[in-house]
Amino acid sequence: MSRNRSDRSGSPSRKSSRYGLGSVRGFASAAILVVAGVSVGWLSFQAAMVRTLPASSPIIARFAPKYPDAVLARTATMLVAQRGMLDTATLDAVRRAAAAAPLDARAYLILGHQQLLDQMPNRAVATLEAGQRLDPRQRLIHLLLLDRYLRTARYADAAAQFSVLARILGATQVPIATAMAKMTMAPETRDAVRHTLSTDPVLERGVLTALAKSDTAPDAIFALASPAGRADARAKESWGPVLVNRLVERGQYPTARSVWQRIYGIAPAQTAALITNAGFRKTTASPPFDWTLTASGLGAADIRNRSLMVDYYGRDSGDLARQLLVLQPGRYRFAITVDPGKTDGATKLYWSLACGSGAPSDRNQLMNVAVTATPKLHRIAAEITVPTGCPAQTLTLRGEAGDFPSPMGVTLRDLDLRPLSGPASAGMSKPASAAASETTP
């Protein structure tokens, strides 16, 4: 009985000695748990640090130099910064990181690019395609595959890459246009790019619009565009107006007008005219070297019956009609017919001509001729002198409001602008602030 009691009373102490912290086995278990906890905590710290800090951070290099995410992030940055030139040690680190993180697409990007440099295009494409399946939004993989597909005439695959890039970046983003512009400069990919874009009109418009905004030469853009793309250039929201406006904003007026004529298919007889549609025919307008007409709270200018019908509300001052001209230095005569009408002296309409494509001012104005409505049909005229250093001019019909709102309606027709020879006429001001009135019975 005493032995049984002794056994029962001694049982807890024996269990404690065998399994508690005081035993060798218990201490070893605790030590393993502590080490495991520290390791997990350190890995978590490394992961958080790599996600938070830049790959090039000195802290990353010190505390997590071999962490797969750090290795791949750092090398992906080097891939761009060093134009793909990576040393052997870096590539070996990437291979180890790839083995530790087999689902990270960056390893496939880096190794696939190196395979391209090592003249193993088939292996490179397979590697890059595997990386793309892991991360369909990896832009550099898309660009590398796009280049390979174009070089090997895989047009359907190239079109798919362009479409995906357009969704990722937006079809009008500069990276797509830049990549394609470089490809158009290379003889081996120029025709392939053109063929690929011709299969996707929406993508073609977006890429051509992006190129039109860049420094790409107009001839290069026309060469890239398909016949459908060139026809689409006439649409207001397409690349044609963007290209013309870019050239105008940079002061390349003769080039801008030449490109404008090419986009809109202007006939040779029309290209020689000093003013586009001076006869006010009902056509599809193509600014800026054609009429820009206003229809707003300011008033309305509309072409009807070979006339310019103007309704000016007289509440605010502003432009009702405008056109950009490219006149050579010299003397010109401006004239236009005003049909019978009524006007209030407080409200004024003026035809003005000013150097440049901006608003007229006292310094750049070449002509300022009042338009008056009278009971009889009459013609107003003025002489203009375009000086050197004035490569483009803006012709504007402007309304000037009086102290009180007063509407004004006029009908204008038979606009004429022609060069003059000989010295300026006596009594003509520069700029002309008044017009010689020619009343027609």
Side-chain angles (χ1 to χ4, degrees):
M1 293 294 291
S2 62
R3 187 172 62 186
N4 290 340
R5 284 196 301 270
S6 174
D7 290 343
R8 287 194 295 269
S9 63
S11 178
S13 63
R14 285 199 300 271
K15 287 182 180 180
S16 175
S17 65
R18 290 179 62 192
Y19 301 108
L21 292 176
S23 68
V24 174
R25 183 175 179 181
F27 180 80
S29 299
I32 291 172
L33 290 174
V34 169
V35 171
V38 171
S39 299
V40 171
W42 175 244
L43 290 174
S44 299
F45 172 74
Q46 284 184 315
M49 184 168 53
V50 170
R51 285 194 301 268
T52 304
L53 300 175
S56 58
S57 172
I59 298 178
I60 296 291
R62 179 179 178 184
F63 290 102
K66 297 181 180 180
Y67 192 79
D69 194 20
V71 171
L72 296 176
R74 183 169 61 249
T75 309
T77 302
M78 293 169 59
L79 185 72
V80 177
Q82 300 178 187
R83 299 179 182 274
M85 299 293 107
L86 304 175
D87 55 46
T88 303
T90 300
L91 291 171
D92 289 340
V94 169
R95 293 186 181 96
R96 290 191 294 270
L103 299 181
D104 196 316
R106 289 173 295 184
Y108 293 83
L109 164 65
I110 298 164
L111 297 176
H113 184 270
Q114 186 61 39
Q115 289 165 352
L116 287 174
L117 295 179
D118 293 340
Q119 304 298 317
M120 296 185 291
N122 293 335
R123 287 187 59 184
V125 169
T127 301
L128 293 170
E129 287 176 339
Q132 190 175 71
R133 287 192 291 271
L134 290 173
D135 184 3
R137 296 187 64 82
Q138 178 56 253
R139 287 175 266 185
L140 290 177
I141 291 181
H142 282 292
L143 289 172
L144 290 173
L145 285 175
L146 173 61
D147 180 73
R148 293 310 310 168
Y149 292 156
L150 289 173
R151 290 176 187 273
T152 54
R154 293 173 59 177
Y155 301 128
D157 292 330
Q161 293 296 326
F162 260 128
S163 297
V164 173
L165 277 170
R167 289 195 296 272
I168 293 175
L169 300 176
T172 60
Q173 292 295 316
V174 174
I176 292 181
T178 301
M180 192 190 64
K182 291 180 179 179
M183 293 174 187
T184 61
M185 301 304 168
E188 63 270 24
T189 56
R190 183 183 299 119
D191 292 338
V193 170
R194 187 185 300 110
H195 180 90
T196 300
L197 288 182
S198 67
T199 65
D200 191 335
V202 175
L203 180 59
E204 181 181 31
R205 171 186 279 192
V207 172
L208 293 175
T209 300
L211 289 173
K213 294 178 180 178
S214 70
D215 293 328
T216 306
D219 285 344
I221 300 176
F222 280 105
L224 179 65
S226 66
R230 288 193 290 272
D232 179 64
R234 302 178 185 183
K236 290 182 180 179
E237 63 277 9
S238 192
W239 60 273
V242 174
L243 176 59
V244 173
N245 289 333
R246 186 246 289 183
L247 296 171
V248 168
E249 289 170 1
R250 298 185 182 184
Q252 301 174 0
Y253 300 113
T255 302
R257 184 173 173 84
S258 176
V259 168
W260 170 81
Q261 293 168 350
R262 187 174 179 181
I263 288 172
Y264 295 101
I266 306 300
Q270 293 177 287
T271 61
L274 299 180
I275 297 180
T276 301
N277 195 15
F280 300 119
R281 294 177 175 85
K282 192 68 175 179
T283 61
T284 301
S286 51
F289 299 100
D290 195 354
W291 293 113
T292 298
L293 302 177
T294 295
S296 66
L298 177 70
D302 187 28
I303 291 177
R304 295 196 305 269
N305 302 323
R306 303 192 66 170
S307 301
L308 182 63
M309 316 289 289
V310 180
D311 287 313
Y312 174 45
Y313 304 147
R315 293 190 292 263
D316 302 294
S317 299
D319 297 346
L320 293 158
R322 185 175 64 255
Q323 183 176 148
L324 188 63
L325 311 181
V326 183
L327 303 176
Q328 297 298 314
R331 295 173 53 244
Y332 298 85
R333 184 177 186 273
F334 171 89
I336 193 166
T337 298
V338 184
D339 282 356
K342 295 180 180 181
T343 185
D344 188 326
T347 300
K348 303 291 186 182
L349 279 178
Y350 296 92
W351 279 107
S352 70
L353 187 71
C355 284
S357 56
S361 67
D362 292 339
R363 288 185 298 176
N364 67 356
Q365 197 167 76
L366 306 175
M367 178 188 77
N368 194 40
V369 179
V371 177
T372 56
T374 62
K376 294 183 179 182
L377 180 147
H378 67 286
R379 192 164 177 81
I380 56 176
E383 184 180 315
I384 310 162
T385 299
V386 176
T388 57
C390 179
Q393 309 81 30
T394 302
L395 178 65
T396 306
L397 177 64
R398 179 175 177 81
E400 294 287 348
D403 294 333
F404 300 97
S406 179
M408 177 179 179
V410 295
T411 300
L412 307 173
R413 55 187 175 85
D414 299 329
L415 173 60
D416 181 59
L417 180 67
R418 63 183 61 192
L420 296 176
S421 59
S425 301
M428 281 300 210
S429 60
K430 301 177 184 180
S433 58
S437 180
E438 305 171 0
T439 302
T440 304

